[in-house]
Amino acid sequence: MKAYDGMYIDGAWRPAAGPDVIEVVNPADEQVIATVPAGTVEDVDAAVRAARAALPAWAATPPAERAARLTALRDVLVARQDEIAGTVTAELGSPLKLSQTVHAGVPIAVTGSYAELAATYAFEEKVGNSTVLHEPVGVVGAITPWNYPLHQIVAKTAPALAAGCTVVVKPAEDTPLVARLFAEAVHESGVPAGVFNLVTGLGPVAGQALVEHPGVDLVSFTGSTAVGRRIGAIATGMVKKVALELGGKSANVILPGADLARAVNVGVANVMSNSGQTCSAWTRMLVHRDRYDEAVELAAAAAAKYGDRIGPLVNAAQRERVRGYIEKGVAEGARLVAGGPDSPHEKGYHVSPTVFADVTPEMTIAQEEIFGPVLSILRYADEEDALRIANGTVYGLAGAVWAGDEAEAVAFARRMETGQVDINGGRFNPLAPFGGHKQSGVGRELGAHGLTEYLQTKSLQF
């Protein structure tokens, strides 16, 4: 076990203000692998003050120079990709291949995309007799989750730096090690002192202090809808800008005429990826009643193949939460066709890949975010019924539509109340805006739309 010390503040690792530490546990074997300092209000204050002091110079730095720093950061992340992957596997429990391709690979692509945007974005534009300036919003307080620990840090930090903002990151307490690694990469890439700062700690202490700090101009949070509501209330009361990427209960709608086998197999893979710990996972599969039984059989067979291919859940509490949802699904009358609350693993926070059939829209497992490898399959009578079910939750983060005719799929997707829809297995696009409707959040991440979250406008009239 390694005991890490210090917070990355103003370009250096500084001793934490308090003596408390957070234990980092490997969820695959339940062993403590490291400790990191538990940040205090004083640590957060020091980080915000450093960010404020660095803001004028960084905001005035030409976009091309900011782009050069982001390019250098991307190059460091490429050089340390194996180290990043190994770190995420150790603290999150994800299979190494997933850590390499997704947990390490996607942040590299996103960092590179913002290096390009910083160099090409129109930070000034002419509108009639006015010049409109797009300026950095200021100091950003970024609170990030454990499920994609580096991606979520990068998805907030890279656009903020491209915009000319300075940043204080409070990472999830379950996965702080890759956050420390990222701070080392920022330092190595030559980003000026104070532009990026890292404080590890608990949400109710360090996280709340960051949200409430008067020196923070924008709070960007990814996590549960319940916590997002509290953060939004605090920030709004202080007239701060917020960006909230929250929960989801996304629908995978398979229309008549679609390639059923492909739609089901891709849908199951989507739910099982990252052990189901993905806010945008298509956890509700909607199938026409005429092909419902066939889809259930295909899904059960597909899920069975993931028994040894997915990792554990992040911690014991998350495992018990997911088990509770599975038990509730059975109690409310859903039919378990694969998996269940138990796991063959003797060690680690594992839950078996699980599929429910005969799920009805009002059931708990069809309405609430489970955040585990659990798929609910619902039947529908016609397209209007499918649309009613798809839109029938408080969430609206993502979704999918499958159809034999692409135009039919697009027409259905246009009526879905959600922020992003994949058509017939459309590929992930790191330049497309990501974010939700309804209770799934406020604002967007990734691409040019993600950059604008960190900008404010000023108009000069001539």
Side-chain angles (χ1 to χ4, degrees):
M1 184 188 77
K2 184 169 183 178
Y4 291 93
D5 188 23
M7 310 292 186
Y8 186 74
I9 297 174
D10 202 19
W13 292 99
R14 298 187 176 187
D20 293 340
V21 298
I22 297 169
E23 292 185 338
V24 183
V25 176
N26 183 332
D29 61 14
E30 305 178 41
Q31 298 300 305
V32 177
I33 58 175
T35 61
V36 298
T40 65
V41 173
E42 291 77 15
D43 292 313
V44 171
D45 181 64
V48 174
R49 289 178 181 275
R52 288 226 72 86
L55 179 62
W58 184 247
T61 299
E65 292 185 27
R66 300 201 295 263
R69 290 304 97 219
L70 285 167
T71 297
L73 176 57
R74 181 204 60 198
D75 292 345
V76 175
L77 295 178
V78 169
R80 302 184 72 168
Q81 187 168 357
D82 289 344
E83 185 181 2
I84 291 168
T87 300
V88 174
T89 290
E91 62 183 347
L92 181 62
S94 63
L96 185 59
K97 183 177 180 180
L98 181 71
S99 296
Q100 291 169 333
T101 58
V102 175
H103 290 292
V106 173
I108 290 169
V110 171
T111 303
S113 74
Y114 279 111
E116 294 180 10
L117 273 168
T120 59
Y121 190 84
F123 289 98
E124 295 187 14
E125 60 179 323
K126 291 292 293 182
V127 180
N129 65 306
S130 301
T131 298
V132 178
L133 310 179
H134 301 282
E135 301 178 331
V137 72
V139 174
V140 174
I143 302 174
T144 61
W146 45 259
N147 60 327
Y148 291 93
L150 182 58
H151 169 65
Q152 291 294 343
I153 290 173
V154 166
K156 300 177 189 307
T157 299
L161 298 189
C165 297
T166 55
V167 183
V168 178
V169 169
K170 203 295 287 183
E173 50 264 36
D174 289 290
T175 54
L177 303 184
V178 76
R180 292 179 63 92
L181 198 159
F182 181 73
E184 294 174 3
V186 169
H187 188 87
E188 187 177 341
S189 67
V191 172
V195 171
F196 174 87
N197 307 272
L198 177 74
V199 176
T200 55
L202 302 176
V205 180
Q208 184 162 333
L210 191 57
V211 173
E212 294 179 343
H213 200 293
V216 171
D217 301 295
L218 181 153
V219 178
S220 180
F221 168 78
T222 297
S224 73
T225 296
V227 175
R229 289 194 193 104
R230 293 200 295 272
I231 289 174
I234 294 170
T236 301
M238 299 180 72
V239 199
K240 293 183 182 183
K241 190 175 181 181
V242 294
L244 304 173
E245 200 267 280
L246 308 177
K249 195 68 184 176
S250 301
N252 179 18
V253 183
I254 305 174
L255 296 175
D259 182 339
L260 184 66
R262 180 166 180 255
V264 170
N265 285 323
V266 173
V268 171
N270 176 278
V271 172
M272 301 307 161
S273 178
N274 209 41
S275 303
Q277 299 170 130
T278 303
C279 54
S280 57
W282 311 332
T283 52
R284 295 180 298 144
M285 182 179 290
L286 278 57
V287 185
H288 190 272
R289 60 190 177 191
D290 289 348
R291 304 196 71 184
Y292 185 82
D293 292 340
E294 183 183 355
V296 169
E297 184 176 344
L298 287 167
K305 298 176 183 177
Y306 286 87
D308 296 324
R309 291 165 56 184
I310 65 172
L313 300 179
V314 70
N315 55 38
Q318 184 65 14
R319 177 186 60 190
E320 294 312 306
R321 180 176 185 270
V322 173
R323 283 177 172 174
Y325 273 112
I326 295 172
E327 291 166 356
K328 183 167 286 189
V330 172
E332 292 183 358
R335 177 164 55 99
L336 197 61
V337 297
D342 299 323
S343 168
H345 297 273
E346 294 183 4
K347 281 282 190 179
Y349 307 125
H350 296 271
V351 172
S352 296
T354 298
V355 178
F356 278 105
D358 300 338
V359 179
T360 57
E362 71 278 1
M363 288 182 179
T364 302
I365 59 172
Q367 289 292 323
E368 297 184 11
E369 184 177 45
I370 298 173
F371 226 60
V374 181
L375 171 65
S376 297
I377 310 180
L378 299 88
R379 58 169 55 85
Y380 65 85
D382 53 33
E383 284 197 17
E384 291 305 314
D385 190 34
L387 186 68
R388 176 186 63 82
I389 296 170
N391 290 339
T393 75
V394 298
Y395 298 109
L397 186 56
V401 182
W402 302 79
D405 177 22
E406 184 177 288
E408 180 186 8
V410 170
F412 189 95
R414 287 180 181 275
R415 296 200 291 163
M416 293 176 72
E417 297 169 353
T418 191
Q420 192 172 70
V421 184
D422 293 350
I423 305 297
N424 287 339
R427 292 181 298 108
F428 171 72
N429 179 3
L431 298 179
F434 179 81
H437 294 188
K438 300 190 287 186
Q439 295 294 303
S440 286
V442 177
R444 293 294 180 269
E445 292 185 333
L446 304 182
H449 291 82
L451 178 59
T452 61
E453 294 292 333
Y454 299 92
L455 296 170
Q456 56 189 349
T457 56
K458 176 191 294 180
S459 62
L460 310 178
Q461 281 63 249
F462 295 89

